[in-house]
Amino acid sequence: DGHNIQALCKVFKEAQKLDHAVLVHVLTKKGKGYEPAEKNPAAFHGVSPFDIKTGRPVAEKKYPTYTDVFSKKLCQLGETHPELVAVTAAMPDGTGVAAFGKRFPDRFFDVGIAEAHAVTSAAGMAAAGLRPVVAVYSSFLQRAYDQILHDVCIQNLPVVFAIDRAGLVGSDGETHQGIFDISYLSSIPNMTIMAPKNKWELSDMIKYAVNFGTPVAVRYPRGEAYDGLKEYRAPISIGKCEWIYRESGIALFALGSMVKTAVAVRDALKAKGYSCSLINARFAKPLDEDALRYITEHHKVIVTMEENVISGGFGEHVTEFYNNENGKDIRIVNIAIPDEYVEHGNVELLRKEVGLDADTIIARTIEAYQNVTE
């Protein structure tokens, strides 16, 4: 009994007397001693401030998170796609697939804390004609790199990777920052990578991914879903970006969560008298090469924006494209996380530390533009 201190001390003292390996099997109950946590242990795995008497959060959630949007869309698609199955690795609540599991218990698989096994299982199910969606945190998917490469992508199987907590997650600490997935996924042949700008685009991308037919990843951040730019909802097409504002001079080429920041950056640049386009990249792989060529013809500076490390990321791939295009002359500013681990902390503070905040981006953009025009 892991809650019996006397018994534990006695066992440990006995174990100390032995001169070989000893296994002590300790049984504990999650949330023991606090009734709300005992009744709902999953909800208390990670908590925000809550009322001690009731166990309820102090601040009730007013707006849906990206996880909520994904969960709702997956359940809707489950009704119309009988071949759709959901796979998770001991994170049904955190990834939002618990609701799918309740509605379709025979089509829901929780493999435990075994991400590599989750991906291999999904590959097997896809090979057998099912359409698996692997719901996983960005930082945990790293554990299954080999299985993504060899079990899914080498066979070009229709597995959907719903990558939650992509980007900075803040309070979960540096081991949980989802800042490497673009880098490690974009190196794999047959993999397609998408990122939505807002809650409506995430819903559209999940539907698109389920019907895609080859390996595809949709990455989205932790927390409240952005509800701006509702009027911009162009149909999704493989490897095609979405033009939000088409001007000249400066082009903000933003991916996923950074589109929201790009709106603020553009507003500030316009107020300072700069002409500025804003493009929602949508795809980290493949890149919209036609759009990139158009940008060079009508802009002097392109600013790539992503919530991923610079090394092997979206901006680096854009730079590589221009390097391979003879005669394409444009100044490139890559806004990304430095090639380093990011510590525990408030997300907004971390954004400033790593240079993803609007003020830093505005300053770097203006500097680059002035250097080109002087």
Side-chain angles (χ1 to χ4, degrees):
D1 177 2
H3 300 291
N4 186 330
I5 304 300
Q6 257 188 324
L8 286 172
C9 289
K10 183 179 178 181
V11 169
F12 291 143
K13 285 177 181 177
E14 292 298 318
Q16 272 188 312
K17 297 175 183 178
L18 301 173
D19 61 355
H20 54 75
V22 179
L23 173 65
V24 180
H25 190 181
V26 180
L27 298 176
T28 60
K29 182 175 183 179
K30 192 174 179 72
K32 177 72 172 177
Y34 182 53
E35 189 177 354
E38 288 187 16
K39 288 182 176 179
N40 193 2
F44 280 83
H45 179 75
V47 296
S48 54
F50 60 92
D51 180 78
I52 293 175
K53 290 183 179 179
T54 64
R56 293 176 182 171
V58 171
E60 293 293 337
K61 187 167 60 175
K62 294 181 180 179
Y63 304 102
T65 63
Y66 280 104
T67 306
D68 295 333
V69 173
F70 161 71
S71 178
K72 182 179 179 181
K73 191 62 181 182
L74 192 68
C75 288
Q76 289 176 353
L77 291 169
E79 299 285 355
T80 56
H81 293 66
E83 76 283 6
L84 184 65
V85 296
V87 184
T88 188
M91 294 295 288
D93 293 291
T95 60
V97 293
F100 185 94
K102 289 177 181 176
R103 193 175 297 189
F104 310 104
D106 295 336
R107 292 154 57 187
F108 171 69
F109 304 93
D110 184 348
V111 304
I113 305 175
E115 288 79 7
H117 177 54
V119 174
T120 295
S121 297
M125 286 186 266
L130 297 175
R131 190 56 57 92
V133 176
V134 179
V136 62
Y137 288 7
S138 170
S139 59
F140 297 164
L141 188 59
Q142 294 160 186
R143 302 168 181 170
Y145 183 83
D146 183 65
Q147 287 71 26
I148 299 168
L149 197 156
H150 286 140
D151 296 339
V152 175
C153 289
I154 203 169
Q155 300 183 87
N156 210 22
L157 293 169
V159 175
V160 178
F161 295 94
I163 307 178
D164 203 326
R165 269 64 166 182
L168 296 171
V169 297
S171 300
D172 284 340
E174 62 185 323
T175 58
H176 282 50
Q177 310 285 15
I179 58 176
F180 303 103
D181 55 87
I182 294 175
S183 302
Y184 66 74
L185 290 176
S186 62
S187 67
I188 303 176
N190 294 334
M191 176 60 79
T192 296
I193 308 168
M194 297 188 287
K197 68 179 182 294
N198 58 21
K199 62 183 182 182
W200 296 283
E201 194 161 69
L202 173 58
S203 182
D204 293 344
M205 283 185 174
I206 295 300
K207 180 180 179 181
Y208 183 83
V210 165
N211 294 300
F212 193 57
T214 56
V216 57
V218 183
R219 75 184 307 259
Y220 45 94
R222 179 184 189 176
E224 185 181 312
Y226 179 48
D227 61 358
L229 301 176
K230 180 181 180 180
E231 65 274 27
Y232 297 94
R233 200 170 178 176
I236 297 171
S237 179
I238 178 70
K240 293 299 177 184
C241 66
E242 176 189 44
W243 286 81
I244 307 297
Y245 301 106
R246 194 188 294 258
E247 294 184 358
S248 60
I250 297 169
L252 303 177
F253 198 39
L255 180 69
S257 61
M258 292 303 292
V259 173
K260 178 182 177 180
T261 304
V263 171
V265 170
R266 181 181 181 273
D267 288 344
L269 290 173
K270 292 288 290 181
K272 293 177 183 292
Y274 294 94
S275 178
C276 186
S277 296
L278 172 53
I279 308 105
N280 168 25
R282 283 186 163 176
F283 288 83
K285 182 185 179 182
L287 295 173
D288 190 336
E289 297 184 356
D290 290 337
L292 290 173
R293 293 188 182 99
Y294 177 90
I295 288 170
T296 59
E297 294 167 6
H298 299 85
H299 302 80
K300 299 180 185 300
V301 174
I302 180 172
V303 182
T304 66
M305 300 169 62
E306 65 188 300
E307 206 166 333
N308 188 84
V309 291
I310 185 73
S311 181
F314 169 67
E316 197 170 87
H317 292 304
V318 171
T319 301
E320 182 184 18
F321 169 80
Y322 284 131
N323 288 341
N324 292 333
E325 288 276 301
N326 294 325
K328 297 297 181 183
D329 184 24
I330 190 168
R331 182 68 175 267
I332 306 167
V333 178
N334 293 141
I335 301 296
I337 296 168
D339 188 19
E340 59 190 35
Y341 295 104
V342 180
E343 63 184 352
H344 168 109
N346 174 276
V347 170
E348 292 309 311
L349 291 177
L350 293 177
R351 280 174 169 270
K352 290 182 180 179
E353 278 193 15
V354 300
L356 294 188
D357 62 299
D359 289 343
T360 300
I361 298 169
I362 293 163
R364 289 186 61 187
T365 301
I366 292 175
E367 182 185 11
Y369 188 78
Q370 289 176 342
N371 288 339
V372 168
T373 55
E374 284 178 357

